Amino acid sequence: MNNIPAQSQRFEGLQSVLRNLEVENESGGHNLIISIDFGTTYSGVGYVFSSKPNERHVVTNWPGLGRHKVSPKVPTVMLYNDSTHFKWGFEVEHLASRKIEAFKLLLDPGLPKPLHIPVTVVQAELKRLKKTAVEVTRDFMRSLYQWALIHIEDLHLADYLEIVAVKFVVSMPAVWPEKARLATLQVSADFTSKLRETNQFSLPKAARDAGIDPIIQIDEPKAAAFFTLQSAAARGIGLQPKVGDAVTVCDAGGGTVDLISYKILKLRPLEVVELVPGTCKNVLESLATRPAGSLMLNKKFEDYLKSVADEEEFFSLRKTESFKSAMMKFDNQIKQDFVCSNKQTYFVDFPGAHLTDQPGLNLNSNRITLTSDNLNRIFQPVVTDVNEAIAAQILSARTNGPGANKVKSQVNYGIKAIFLVGGFGTNKHLREFVQEHHPRVKVIQPANA
């Protein structure tokens, strides 16, 4: 698929951390460790067999994705026919009017709601179905878990039959309300309890007898830090971390940007400690007013199309397959490839749309020409917001972290590198923008970040 493949980094990070955990039973058994990333816009599954810890896997085929297509992420979206029958992930049409998305942000009703996510539409649909966000999350997570086990059994039957225990790991933002955190863990625990009771997926008897371990919770940025510090990207730019060094992790996803800074306590095995408390843009800070994450870019691109096309024509355009294709091209290609310094031009076509030509706005023959300047205006407020959040983390590290009593005028003192991870964290323009504003710090986007 597009930009989504790059998001598999988070699973790599989780599995890197898992290699530092006790993954074997006392009897030296063969465990299956499954890591779940429940995201605002995309979710996914990574897994590893304890007997082969260096062979890390990501689920890449999903219901509704289509033959010969792969993606290590599945959209976090649901569409109900009634309260019990639903489609999920790629099964849901992009333009479905009653789809439920971003429900992760509704797990705590006390959170303010972001303007760029259709929360009121989602809430209206929940009311119609007489469902809560927790119940929708339970349905989605159950679908994710079930598909993962089917996928693993199909691809690794020999290893699957030798399993003596199953461990589930769920990643969480470093800064996440306790109510939302507990809800996520509870729906995961509900599935594992059912798995113990029904053995729906024909787990080997040894695994059933050993039982399913309680859910393991892990902070997403810490997993990302572990992976990135050991990545080829870090070695490639000459990053040689030492005990006492500090790094800032920016986990930029679809709807949130999660930041935290760590100090390295030990290199082998790697051990880090939180240096500066985490922040989560658009979840705990000015959620309703400030842009964050790649969803905001999609919204701004849609606003740009609206500003170019005639108002009535745009209203009709939104209902067409050509509009869906245009949004997918932006999301999957343009958004990922764009780098302002490259001065590249992109073309977006709307076959059969009958749009009125607007030569002064680069709309001709149902084709919009996007210049580097056009895209820079779309990107600017979003990358600026992310960079401001990073700068605040670095300032806190310089003020309160290692070297705090030393020379205060030294920019970025104490921070060795910035790790850009997550879906939007893979964006090339974001990396260029952040590096330009933090020239003394190494900015790293690990492969598959």
Side-chain angles (χ1 to χ4, degrees):
M1 228 184 122
N2 63 39
N3 69 322
I4 313 175
Q7 298 181 353
S8 62
Q9 181 274 340
R10 184 172 293 165
F11 306 130
E12 298 279 8
L14 284 172
Q15 292 151 358
S16 178
V17 174
L18 286 171
R19 288 199 300 274
N20 291 286
L21 298 175
E22 289 295 330
V23 296
E24 300 288 345
N25 284 338
E26 291 181 3
S27 60
H30 180 70
N31 295 351
L32 170 62
I33 302 109
I34 300 176
S35 59
I36 303 294
D37 176 21
F38 172 45
T40 305
T41 53
Y42 288 99
S43 298
V45 182
Y47 59 96
V48 62
F49 294 97
S50 61
S51 58
K52 303 174 182 177
N54 293 320
E55 295 182 16
R56 302 178 299 277
H57 309 277
V58 175
V59 174
T60 56
N61 68 312
W62 303 95
L65 181 58
R67 296 182 63 186
H68 311 302
K69 293 183 180 179
V70 295
S71 169
K73 286 279 188 165
V74 62
T76 307
V77 60
M78 298 284 286
L79 178 64
Y80 287 84
N81 295 329
D82 52 47
S83 61
T84 57
H85 298 88
F86 58 83
K87 295 180 180 179
W88 68 287
F90 287 109
E91 296 175 333
V92 180
E93 284 291 324
H94 179 74
L95 297 178
S97 60
R98 287 183 168 178
K99 66 181 180 181
I100 300 176
E101 55 188 343
F103 47 88
K104 175 179 177 179
L105 299 182
L106 299 178
L107 289 175
D108 184 343
L111 282 172
K113 308 302 183 286
L115 293 178
H116 58 285
I117 293 176
V119 173
T120 54
V121 175
V122 172
Q123 290 174 324
E125 181 64 3
L126 292 177
K127 185 176 181 180
R128 184 186 75 85
L129 294 167
K130 298 181 180 179
K131 275 186 168 291
T132 66
V134 172
E135 290 171 329
V136 173
T137 300
R138 180 177 292 112
D139 288 341
F140 179 82
M141 293 285 276
R142 184 175 69 246
S143 300
L144 200 62
Y145 280 118
Q146 289 175 340
W147 183 256
L149 287 170
I150 291 169
H151 173 94
I152 294 168
E153 182 179 9
D154 285 347
L155 290 186
H156 309 276
L157 182 59
D159 289 320
Y160 192 83
L161 293 175
E162 295 177 5
I163 296 169
V164 297
V166 180
K167 299 175 185 287
F168 288 98
V169 179
V170 177
S171 63
M172 301 274 189
V175 180
W176 196 233
E178 189 65 15
K179 189 169 185 177
R181 187 180 293 263
L182 291 174
T184 306
L185 290 173
Q186 182 58 54
V187 297
S188 298
D190 290 346
F191 174 78
T192 58
S193 295
K194 185 176 180 181
L195 190 61
R196 289 190 195 97
E197 295 166 4
T198 65
N199 192 33
Q200 179 180 353
F201 300 96
S202 303
L203 286 170
K205 184 176 185 304
R208 300 199 306 274
D209 291 344
I212 311 300
D213 282 3
I215 301 293
I216 301 170
Q217 175 185 326
I218 189 168
D219 287 340
E220 294 166 359
K222 183 175 286 188
F226 271 60
F227 172 72
T228 306
L229 282 167
Q230 301 173 57
S231 69
R235 294 191 298 272
I237 66 169
L239 181 66
Q240 298 178 328
K242 304 184 298 293
V243 171
D245 284 345
V247 298
T248 292
V249 178
C250 175
D251 184 357
T256 61
V257 178
D258 196 18
L259 297 110
I260 196 165
S261 295
Y262 296 109
K263 177 182 176 181
I264 299 173
L265 296 181
K266 214 167 143 184
L267 289 173
R268 287 185 180 80
L270 184 61
E271 186 178 341
V272 300
V273 65
E274 183 179 300
L275 177 65
V276 178
T279 59
C280 190
K281 284 294 180 188
N282 266 12
V283 171
L284 300 180
E285 297 184 21
S286 306
L287 179 63
T289 58
R290 302 192 68 180
S294 62
L295 276 182
M296 191 62 186
L297 282 178
N298 293 9
K299 176 66 168 59
K300 287 195 167 293
F301 176 64
E302 184 174 338
D303 289 344
Y304 176 76
L305 296 180
K306 186 177 181 180
S307 72
V308 172
D310 173 84
E311 184 174 349
E312 289 187 11
E313 290 177 352
F314 178 77
F315 180 76
S316 299
L317 180 67
R318 286 194 82 255
K319 303 175 183 178
T320 66
E321 283 297 316
S322 62
F323 180 80
K324 173 184 175 181
S325 297
M327 293 302 297
M328 290 181 68
K329 180 172 183 178
F330 178 76
D331 193 36
N332 300 343
Q333 178 188 340
I334 298 173
K335 190 165 73 176
Q336 294 309 304
D337 292 345
F338 171 66
V339 179
C340 189
S341 60
N342 288 348
K343 301 297 179 184
Q344 187 171 349
T345 298
Y346 297 88
F347 303 97
V348 180
D349 294 308
F350 299 91
H354 306 296
L355 299 174
T356 302
D357 286 354
Q358 305 279 0
L361 298 174
N362 295 330
L363 171 58
N364 295 282
S365 302
N366 293 325
R367 167 179 281 188
I368 289 180
T369 302
L370 291 169
T371 66
S372 180
D373 287 341
N374 295 146
L375 287 167
N376 193 41
R377 284 193 289 273
I378 291 172
F379 272 77
Q380 193 67 19
V382 183
V383 295
T384 297
D385 189 74
V386 174
N387 184 64
E388 286 178 357
I390 292 172
Q393 270 282 314
I394 289 177
L395 179 61
S396 293
R398 181 161 57 94
T399 304
N400 306 312
N405 296 320
K406 299 183 182 179
V407 183
K408 297 289 186 185
S409 61
Q410 185 177 355
V411 178
N412 299 335
Y413 187 87
I415 293 294
K416 185 92 169 182
I418 299 167
F419 299 160
L420 296 178
V421 300
F424 187 43
T426 68
N427 186 269
K428 297 175 183 177
H429 181 60
L430 176 62
R431 184 189 184 284
E432 183 180 79
F433 190 87
V434 172
Q435 187 65 81
E436 178 184 343
H437 286 78
H438 303 278
R440 299 189 185 186
V441 179
K442 295 181 184 296
V443 179
I444 301 175
Q445 284 176 323
N448 297 321

